[in-house]
Amino acid sequence: MKLQHYLGGLENLGPVSLETKVFVSEWEKRIFGIHTAMMAESIHLDQALPKYPLKDVPTTFKEKWTWAHLRTGAEGMQPFEYFKYRYYEKWLMGISQLFVDRGYITAQELATRTAHYRAQPDAPLPDQANPALKEQIVRYLNHGDSGLRTPPAPARFKVGDTVYVADPEAADHSRLPGFLRNKRGIVTEVYPDAFEYFVSTGPDGLEGPQHVYCVSFDAADIWGAEKSEPNTVIYADLFDVYLKA
């Protein structure tokens, strides 16, 4: 399992940041806004539950982009690089790499513009009025997206069942917390309907509509009694593919 997939329970990673601000620097707000605009223009939205009229939105962005794609780009980083940079710096890298990989901008053009704004931080940014795109972004912020789907089959487990967490091959991105691999838990809730994650995780097995379960774990079974507070229960929402009878 790649280290950066889930850090819960790992020791000796250094001091924990207690920063409470959502945005530490002003530029981080702009990165969040760019990511939000990209999600609002994602080509899959004409098939989303709100049925966005995406073909009528004037945009040259022709990619599928969701939170899952952002996480895939960040978690696909080399681990030592991942730990070197701050949260929104990783966002910036993933988004920039997508635009370079897809041919929206070349690496040289990006470097040239970066040098320009470093030398002239107060230089005006490009500003092209696009009321229809702005309307789509606002609509997306109000209505969002959903991975809710019709269940492909009855749920395999019911409330009270004992289950074991699988140990699939590591992928570039996973929704399985690393510290839960091979652990035993109890199903406490079976969520209605099914959910489809926005990207296929390859060898991880997360693909297509699946049932999702809330599973409880005794903290002592995960980290050992000497490192757990007494009577502590950990709850995790897990896709069907991550569970075994």
Side-chain angles (χ1 to χ4, degrees), residues 101-133:
D101 290 344
R102 296 294 191 271
Y104 291 96
I105 190 172
T106 68
Q108 183 56 52
E109 288 173 330
L110 183 59
T112 299
R113 296 188 191 187
T114 300
H116 170 72
Y117 284 106
R118 278 179 171 165
Q120 305 176 64
D122 295 326
L125 295 170
D127 184 11
Q128 297 179 348
N130 194 332
L133 177 56

Side-chain angles (χ1 to χ4, degrees), residues 220-239:
D221 291 340
I222 298 176
W223 294 300
E226 70 282 0
K227 295 181 180 179
S228 304
E229 294 183 0
N231 305 314
T232 299
V233 179
I234 306 297
Y235 293 91
D237 290 338
L238 298 171
F239 281 96

Side-chain angles (χ1 to χ4, degrees), residues 61-62 114 118 132-133 156 191 197 213-214 226-227 234:
F61 187 69
K62 302 298 180 185
T114 300
R118 278 179 171 165
L133 177 56
R156 287 195 299 142
Y191 294 112
Y197 198 51
Y213 308 87
C214 182
E226 70 282 0
K227 295 181 180 179
I234 306 297

Side-chain angles (χ1 to χ4, degrees), residues 15-219:
V16 176
S17 172
L18 301 178
E19 176 60 64
T20 58
K21 294 180 181 178
V22 176
F23 301 108
V24 177
S25 302
E26 281 297 309
W27 66 266
E28 296 175 340
K29 298 178 182 179
R30 183 167 293 276
I31 296 301
F32 187 90
I34 291 171
H35 166 60
T36 302
M38 291 167 66
M39 290 197 298
E41 300 172 71
S42 177
I43 59 174
H44 81 285
L45 287 181
D46 58 350
Q47 301 298 319
L49 290 181
K51 296 296 182 184
Y52 297 99
L54 207 64
K55 64 180 183 301
D56 299 327
V57 177
T59 177
T60 57
F61 187 69
K62 302 298 180 185
E63 312 296 332
K64 183 176 181 181
W65 186 260
T66 66
W67 284 105
H69 294 83
L70 180 69
R71 291 179 179 128
T72 299
E75 292 179 7
M77 294 174 64
Q78 202 273 351
F80 291 107
E81 293 293 307
Y82 182 91
F83 288 109
K84 186 193 306 183
Y85 295 103
R86 288 170 46 198
Y87 186 66
Y88 284 104
E89 287 178 318
K90 291 190 274 278
W91 281 40
L92 175 58
M93 290 180 186
I95 291 172
S96 299
Q97 192 64 54
L98 174 86
F99 281 110
V100 171
D101 290 344
R102 296 294 191 271
Y104 291 96
I105 190 172
T106 68
Q108 183 56 52
E109 288 173 330
L110 183 59
T112 299
R113 296 188 191 187
T114 300
H116 170 72
Y117 284 106
R118 278 179 171 165
Q120 305 176 64
D122 295 326
L125 295 170
D127 184 11
Q128 297 179 348
N130 194 332
L133 177 56
K134 180 179 179 181
E135 181 181 345
Q136 166 62 14
I137 294 171
V138 171
R139 180 181 298 176
Y140 177 81
L141 287 171
N142 285 325
H143 300 286
D145 192 6
S146 175
L148 191 66
R149 300 290 185 266
T150 301
R156 287 195 299 142
F157 305 109
K158 64 182 185 301
V159 173
D161 281 355
T162 296
V163 291
Y164 289 82
V165 179
D167 188 18
E169 182 180 343
D172 285 339
H173 174 56
S174 175
R175 297 304 293 158
L176 174 59
F179 62 81
L180 293 180
R181 286 172 175 254
N182 298 311
K183 302 301 182 181
R184 179 177 65 89
I186 304 295
V187 175
T188 61
E189 187 170 356
V190 180
Y191 294 112
D193 301 306
F195 297 85
E196 183 171 8
Y197 198 51
F198 292 110
V199 299
S200 169
T201 55
D204 189 57
L206 186 54
E207 186 169 10
Q210 297 188 23
H211 287 282
V212 177
Y213 308 87
C214 182
V215 183
S216 65
F217 302 85
D218 188 325

